[in-house]
Short mmCIF file of all heavy atoms in Angstrom, two decimals:
data_model
loop_
_atom_site.label_atom_id
_atom_site.label_comp_id
_atom_site.label_asym_id
_atom_site.label_seq_id
_atom_site.Cartn_x
_atom_site.Cartn_y
_atom_site.Cartn_z
N SER T 183 -17.09 -0.30 2.83
CA SER T 183 -17.08 -0.70 4.21
C SER T 183 -17.20 0.49 5.18
O SER T 183 -17.19 0.28 6.38
CB SER T 183 -15.76 -1.39 4.47
OG SER T 183 -14.68 -0.61 4.07
N CYS T 185 -15.10 3.29 4.68
CA CYS T 185 -13.79 3.94 4.68
C CYS T 185 -14.03 5.40 4.22
O CYS T 185 -15.09 5.72 3.72
CB CYS T 185 -12.84 3.24 3.84
SG CYS T 185 -13.37 3.07 2.10
N ARG T 186 -12.90 6.15 4.31
CA ARG T 186 -13.09 7.60 4.04
C ARG T 186 -13.47 7.83 2.58
O ARG T 186 -14.29 8.68 2.26
CB ARG T 186 -11.71 8.32 4.37
CG ARG T 186 -11.86 9.78 4.56
CD ARG T 186 -10.77 10.30 5.42
NE ARG T 186 -9.47 9.80 4.91
CZ ARG T 186 -8.76 10.43 3.93
NH1 ARG T 186 -9.23 11.52 3.40
NH2 ARG T 186 -7.61 9.91 3.57
N ASN T 187 -12.87 7.03 1.69
CA ASN T 187 -13.22 7.21 0.26
C ASN T 187 -14.70 6.95 0.01
O ASN T 187 -15.33 7.63 -0.86
CB ASN T 187 -12.45 6.21 -0.60
CG ASN T 187 -11.03 6.74 -0.88
OD1 ASN T 187 -10.82 7.92 -0.69
ND2 ASN T 187 -10.17 5.88 -1.32
N MET T 214 -20.87 -6.68 3.71
CA MET T 214 -19.99 -7.23 2.75
C MET T 214 -20.69 -8.14 1.73
O MET T 214 -20.47 -8.10 0.57
CB MET T 214 -18.82 -7.95 3.50
CG MET T 214 -17.54 -8.02 2.70
SD MET T 214 -17.11 -6.55 1.75
CE MET T 214 -16.49 -5.46 3.02
N ALA T 215 -21.58 -9.00 2.27
CA ALA T 215 -22.30 -9.95 1.40
C ALA T 215 -23.12 -9.16 0.31
O ALA T 215 -23.12 -9.59 -0.83
CB ALA T 215 -23.17 -10.89 2.22
N ILE T 217 -22.49 -6.16 -0.75
CA ILE T 217 -21.60 -5.49 -1.67
C ILE T 217 -21.12 -6.45 -2.77
O ILE T 217 -21.14 -6.19 -3.96
CB ILE T 217 -20.35 -4.90 -0.97
CG1 ILE T 217 -20.78 -3.73 -0.06
CG2 ILE T 217 -19.27 -4.45 -1.96
CD1 ILE T 217 -19.67 -3.22 0.84
N MET T 218 -20.72 -7.66 -2.27
CA MET T 218 -20.17 -8.65 -3.23
C MET T 218 -21.27 -9.17 -4.16
O MET T 218 -20.95 -9.65 -5.25
CB MET T 218 -19.57 -9.86 -2.44
CG MET T 218 -18.62 -9.49 -1.37
SD MET T 218 -16.99 -8.96 -1.95
CE MET T 218 -16.39 -10.41 -2.68
N SER T 219 -22.51 -9.10 -3.71
CA SER T 219 -23.55 -9.63 -4.58
C SER T 219 -23.69 -8.80 -5.84
O SER T 219 -24.28 -9.25 -6.84
CB SER T 219 -24.87 -9.68 -3.81
OG SER T 219 -25.39 -8.37 -3.61
N TYR T 220 -23.09 -7.57 -5.85
CA TYR T 220 -23.10 -6.75 -7.05
C TYR T 220 -21.94 -7.11 -7.92
O TYR T 220 -21.71 -6.44 -8.98
CB TYR T 220 -23.07 -5.27 -6.69
CG TYR T 220 -24.42 -4.75 -6.17
CD1 TYR T 220 -24.63 -4.57 -4.83
CD2 TYR T 220 -25.39 -4.45 -7.08
CE1 TYR T 220 -25.85 -4.14 -4.35
CE2 TYR T 220 -26.66 -3.98 -6.61
CZ TYR T 220 -26.84 -3.84 -5.24
OH TYR T 220 -28.04 -3.38 -4.79
N GLY T 221 -21.09 -8.05 -7.47
CA GLY T 221 -19.91 -8.44 -8.26
C GLY T 221 -18.76 -7.38 -8.17
O GLY T 221 -17.86 -7.39 -8.96
N VAL T 222 -18.86 -6.56 -7.13
CA VAL T 222 -17.85 -5.51 -6.92
C VAL T 222 -16.84 -5.97 -5.92
O VAL T 222 -17.19 -6.46 -4.82
CB VAL T 222 -18.56 -4.19 -6.46
CG1 VAL T 222 -17.52 -3.22 -5.96
CG2 VAL T 222 -19.33 -3.59 -7.60
N MET T 223 -15.56 -5.86 -6.21
CA MET T 223 -14.50 -6.25 -5.23
C MET T 223 -13.72 -5.03 -4.77
O MET T 223 -13.02 -5.12 -3.78
CB MET T 223 -13.55 -7.25 -5.85
CG MET T 223 -14.04 -8.66 -5.91
SD MET T 223 -12.98 -9.64 -6.93
CE MET T 223 -11.54 -9.67 -5.90
N SER T 224 -13.74 -4.02 -5.53
CA SER T 224 -12.95 -2.80 -5.10
C SER T 224 -13.99 -1.74 -4.74
O SER T 224 -14.79 -1.33 -5.56
CB SER T 224 -12.05 -2.36 -6.27
OG SER T 224 -12.74 -2.50 -7.48
N THR T 225 -13.80 -1.23 -3.51
CA THR T 225 -14.73 -0.24 -3.00
C THR T 225 -14.01 1.11 -3.04
O THR T 225 -12.79 1.20 -3.05
CB THR T 225 -15.13 -0.56 -1.53
OG1 THR T 225 -13.95 -0.74 -0.74
CG2 THR T 225 -15.90 -1.86 -1.51
N VAL T 234 -24.49 -1.32 -11.65
CA VAL T 234 -23.18 -0.88 -11.25
C VAL T 234 -22.57 0.02 -12.23
O VAL T 234 -22.37 -0.34 -13.41
CB VAL T 234 -22.27 -2.11 -11.03
CG1 VAL T 234 -20.86 -1.65 -10.55
CG2 VAL T 234 -22.83 -3.08 -10.05
N VAL T 235 -22.26 1.27 -11.82
CA VAL T 235 -21.67 2.20 -12.77
C VAL T 235 -20.23 2.50 -12.44
O VAL T 235 -19.50 3.09 -13.29
CB VAL T 235 -22.45 3.59 -12.83
CG1 VAL T 235 -23.80 3.34 -13.41
CG2 VAL T 235 -22.52 4.20 -11.46
N HIS T 236 -19.75 2.04 -11.28
CA HIS T 236 -18.40 2.38 -10.91
C HIS T 236 -17.88 1.48 -9.82
O HIS T 236 -18.68 1.04 -8.98
CB HIS T 236 -18.44 3.87 -10.37
CG HIS T 236 -17.07 4.30 -9.85
ND1 HIS T 236 -16.08 4.77 -10.67
CD2 HIS T 236 -16.55 4.33 -8.62
CE1 HIS T 236 -15.01 5.09 -9.94
NE2 HIS T 236 -15.30 4.83 -8.70
N ALA T 237 -16.64 1.17 -9.86
CA ALA T 237 -16.00 0.37 -8.77
C ALA T 237 -14.57 0.83 -8.54
O ALA T 237 -13.84 0.99 -9.53
CB ALA T 237 -16.09 -1.09 -9.12
N GLY T 238 -14.18 0.96 -7.32
CA GLY T 238 -12.75 1.23 -7.03
C GLY T 238 -12.44 2.71 -7.06
O GLY T 238 -12.24 3.31 -8.15
N GLY T 239 -12.31 3.30 -5.86
CA GLY T 239 -11.92 4.74 -5.81
C GLY T 239 -13.01 5.70 -5.93
O GLY T 239 -14.17 5.40 -6.32
N VAL T 240 -12.74 6.93 -5.48
CA VAL T 240 -13.74 8.02 -5.58
C VAL T 240 -13.92 8.36 -7.06
O VAL T 240 -12.95 8.57 -7.81
CB VAL T 240 -13.22 9.24 -4.82
CG1 VAL T 240 -14.27 10.36 -4.96
CG2 VAL T 240 -12.98 8.90 -3.37
N ALA T 242 -14.79 10.36 -10.60
CA ALA T 242 -14.51 11.70 -11.10
C ALA T 242 -15.81 12.51 -11.05
O ALA T 242 -16.90 11.96 -11.40
CB ALA T 242 -13.96 11.65 -12.50
N PRO T 243 -15.78 13.76 -10.66
CA PRO T 243 -16.96 14.61 -10.57
C PRO T 243 -17.75 14.61 -11.89
O PRO T 243 -19.01 14.56 -11.94
CB PRO T 243 -16.47 16.00 -10.26
CG PRO T 243 -15.15 15.74 -9.53
CD PRO T 243 -14.58 14.52 -10.13
N PRO P 120 -9.17 -5.21 -9.32
CA PRO P 120 -9.27 -6.40 -8.55
C PRO P 120 -10.20 -7.43 -9.20
O PRO P 120 -9.96 -8.66 -9.10
CB PRO P 120 -9.91 -5.90 -7.23
CG PRO P 120 -9.49 -4.48 -7.15
CD PRO P 120 -9.42 -4.00 -8.59
N GLU P 121 -11.21 -6.98 -9.94
CA GLU P 121 -12.16 -7.87 -10.61
C GLU P 121 -11.38 -8.68 -11.66
O GLU P 121 -11.56 -9.87 -11.81
CB GLU P 121 -13.27 -7.11 -11.26
CG GLU P 121 -14.32 -6.49 -10.29
CD GLU P 121 -13.85 -5.23 -9.59
OE1 GLU P 121 -12.81 -4.64 -10.03
OE2 GLU P 121 -14.47 -4.83 -8.60
N ARG P 124 -9.10 -11.26 -9.98
CA ARG P 124 -9.82 -12.47 -9.60
C ARG P 124 -9.92 -13.42 -10.79
O ARG P 124 -9.69 -14.58 -10.69
CB ARG P 124 -11.19 -12.05 -9.10
CG ARG P 124 -12.18 -13.14 -8.80
CD ARG P 124 -13.39 -12.48 -8.16
NE ARG P 124 -14.39 -13.52 -7.79
CZ ARG P 124 -15.44 -13.88 -8.52
NH1 ARG P 124 -15.62 -13.30 -9.71
NH2 ARG P 124 -16.24 -14.73 -8.11
N CYS P 151 -8.17 -0.95 2.84
CA CYS P 151 -9.63 -1.00 3.05
C CYS P 151 -10.29 -1.89 2.03
O CYS P 151 -11.45 -2.32 2.15
CB CYS P 151 -10.25 0.44 2.99
SG CYS P 151 -9.85 1.27 1.48
N SER P 152 -9.55 -2.30 0.95
CA SER P 152 -10.14 -3.24 0.01
C SER P 152 -9.71 -4.69 0.30
O SER P 152 -10.09 -5.57 -0.46
CB SER P 152 -9.64 -2.90 -1.41
OG SER P 152 -10.27 -1.73 -1.87
N VAL P 154 -10.63 -6.82 2.51
CA VAL P 154 -11.69 -7.77 2.82
C VAL P 154 -12.50 -8.26 1.59
O VAL P 154 -12.57 -9.42 1.37
CB VAL P 154 -12.60 -7.21 3.92
CG1 VAL P 154 -13.88 -8.02 4.03
CG2 VAL P 154 -11.89 -7.25 5.27
N PRO P 155 -13.02 -7.30 0.76
CA PRO P 155 -13.72 -7.74 -0.43
C PRO P 155 -12.82 -8.52 -1.35
O PRO P 155 -13.25 -9.49 -2.02
CB PRO P 155 -14.20 -6.44 -1.10
CG PRO P 155 -13.59 -5.32 -0.34
CD PRO P 155 -13.12 -5.82 1.00
N LEU P 156 -11.55 -8.12 -1.41
CA LEU P 156 -10.63 -8.85 -2.30
C LEU P 156 -10.39 -10.28 -1.82
O LEU P 156 -10.47 -11.25 -2.56
CB LEU P 156 -9.29 -8.07 -2.25
CG LEU P 156 -8.32 -8.45 -3.36
CD1 LEU P 156 -8.62 -7.52 -4.54
CD2 LEU P 156 -6.91 -8.25 -2.92
N ILE P 158 -12.41 -12.13 0.06
CA ILE P 158 -13.65 -12.91 -0.16
C ILE P 158 -13.83 -13.21 -1.63
O ILE P 158 -14.15 -14.37 -1.99
CB ILE P 158 -14.88 -12.12 0.35
CG1 ILE P 158 -14.75 -11.89 1.90
CG2 ILE P 158 -16.20 -12.90 0.05
CD1 ILE P 158 -15.83 -11.02 2.49
N GLY P 159 -13.58 -12.26 -2.48
CA GLY P 159 -13.78 -12.40 -3.89
C GLY P 159 -12.89 -13.51 -4.48
O GLY P 159 -13.27 -14.29 -5.32
N LEU P 160 -11.65 -13.53 -3.99
CA LEU P 160 -10.67 -14.52 -4.49
C LEU P 160 -11.08 -15.89 -3.98
O LEU P 160 -11.13 -16.88 -4.81
CB LEU P 160 -9.26 -14.20 -4.07
CG LEU P 160 -8.64 -13.00 -4.76
CD1 LEU P 160 -7.25 -12.74 -4.28
CD2 LEU P 160 -8.60 -13.16 -6.24
N ILE P 231 -20.83 -16.33 1.11
CA ILE P 231 -21.04 -15.16 0.26
C ILE P 231 -20.96 -15.65 -1.22
O ILE P 231 -20.03 -16.34 -1.61
CB ILE P 231 -20.08 -14.07 0.50
CG1 ILE P 231 -20.37 -13.45 1.88
CG2 ILE P 231 -20.12 -13.00 -0.60
CD1 ILE P 231 -19.44 -12.34 2.29
N ARG P 232 -21.92 -15.28 -2.03
CA ARG P 232 -21.89 -15.59 -3.46
C ARG P 232 -21.77 -14.26 -4.19
O ARG P 232 -22.55 -13.33 -3.96
CB ARG P 232 -23.18 -16.32 -3.87
CG ARG P 232 -23.19 -17.74 -3.45
CD ARG P 232 -22.21 -18.59 -4.23
NE ARG P 232 -21.84 -19.83 -3.52
CZ ARG P 232 -20.75 -20.00 -2.81
NH1 ARG P 232 -19.89 -18.98 -2.63
NH2 ARG P 232 -20.50 -21.12 -2.20
N MET P 233 -20.79 -14.24 -5.08
CA MET P 233 -20.63 -12.94 -5.81
C MET P 233 -21.56 -12.80 -6.96
O MET P 233 -21.81 -13.84 -7.66
CB MET P 233 -19.21 -12.82 -6.29
CG MET P 233 -18.35 -12.11 -5.26
SD MET P 233 -16.77 -11.67 -5.96
CE MET P 233 -17.15 -10.32 -7.03
N GLY P 234 -22.08 -11.69 -7.16
CA GLY P 234 -22.98 -11.44 -8.31
C GLY P 234 -22.08 -11.32 -9.59
O GLY P 234 -20.89 -11.23 -9.52
N GLN P 235 -22.83 -11.40 -10.69
CA GLN P 235 -22.05 -11.31 -12.01
C GLN P 235 -22.15 -10.00 -12.65
O GLN P 235 -21.81 -9.82 -13.78
CB GLN P 235 -22.59 -12.40 -12.95
CG GLN P 235 -22.09 -13.79 -12.63
CD GLN P 235 -20.54 -13.91 -12.72
OE1 GLN P 235 -19.95 -13.22 -13.49
NE2 GLN P 235 -19.98 -14.70 -11.82
N ALA P 236 -22.64 -8.96 -11.82
CA ALA P 236 -22.80 -7.67 -12.42
C ALA P 236 -21.54 -7.23 -13.23
O ALA P 236 -20.42 -7.36 -12.64
CB ALA P 236 -23.16 -6.67 -11.36
N ALA P 237 -21.72 -6.76 -14.39
CA ALA P 237 -20.53 -6.37 -15.17
C ALA P 237 -20.11 -5.00 -14.63
O ALA P 237 -20.85 -4.04 -14.62
CB ALA P 237 -20.97 -6.26 -16.67
N VAL P 238 -18.89 -4.97 -14.23
CA VAL P 238 -18.31 -3.71 -13.81
C VAL P 238 -17.92 -2.94 -15.06
O VAL P 238 -17.33 -3.51 -15.96
CB VAL P 238 -17.07 -3.89 -12.88
CG1 VAL P 238 -16.37 -2.62 -12.60
CG2 VAL P 238 -17.53 -4.61 -11.60
N PRO P 239 -18.28 -1.65 -15.11
CA PRO P 239 -17.98 -0.87 -16.39
C PRO P 239 -16.56 -0.93 -16.77
O PRO P 239 -15.66 -0.89 -15.93
CB PRO P 239 -18.42 0.55 -16.02
CG PRO P 239 -18.58 0.54 -14.56
CD PRO P 239 -18.90 -0.81 -14.09
N GLU P 258 -5.71 10.68 -5.27
CA GLU P 258 -6.15 9.74 -4.25
C GLU P 258 -4.99 9.24 -3.40
O GLU P 258 -5.00 9.25 -2.20
CB GLU P 258 -6.92 8.59 -4.86
CG GLU P 258 -7.57 7.75 -3.83
CD GLU P 258 -8.27 6.50 -4.45
OE1 GLU P 258 -8.85 6.64 -5.57
OE2 GLU P 258 -8.19 5.45 -3.83
N GLY P 261 -3.17 12.03 -1.58
CA GLY P 261 -4.07 12.44 -0.45
C GLY P 261 -4.03 11.49 0.72
O GLY P 261 -4.23 11.86 1.84
N ARG P 262 -3.80 10.24 0.44
CA ARG P 262 -3.80 9.26 1.47
C ARG P 262 -2.43 9.19 2.19
O ARG P 262 -2.34 8.93 3.40
CB ARG P 262 -4.14 7.89 0.88
CG ARG P 262 -4.56 6.82 1.87
CD ARG P 262 -5.17 5.67 1.21
NE ARG P 262 -4.24 4.93 0.40
CZ ARG P 262 -4.50 4.38 -0.76
NH1 ARG P 262 -5.68 4.50 -1.30
NH2 ARG P 262 -3.57 3.66 -1.39
N LYS P 352 -11.63 -9.47 10.27
CA LYS P 352 -13.03 -9.63 9.83
C LYS P 352 -13.25 -10.84 9.04
O LYS P 352 -14.36 -11.36 8.94
CB LYS P 352 -13.45 -8.43 8.92
CG LYS P 352 -13.61 -7.15 9.72
CD LYS P 352 -14.09 -6.05 8.81
CE LYS P 352 -14.00 -4.69 9.46
NZ LYS P 352 -14.02 -3.63 8.50
#
Side-chain angles (χ1 to χ4, degrees):
Chain T
S183 55
C185 58
R186 201 155 47 87
N187 277 345
M214 207 38 79
I217 292 173
M218 309 284 296
S219 72
Y220 286 99
V222 166
M223 280 169 70
S224 39
T225 56
V234 178
V235 293
H236 175 81
V240 179
Chain P
E121 289 77 13
R124 174 173 182 263
C151 54
S152 287
V154 168
L156 198 87
I158 298 173
L160 289 179
I231 291 180
R232 286 289 158 262
M233 268 190 77
Q235 282 302 325
V238 172
E258 189 184 322
R262 199 166 67 218
K352 288 184 193 160

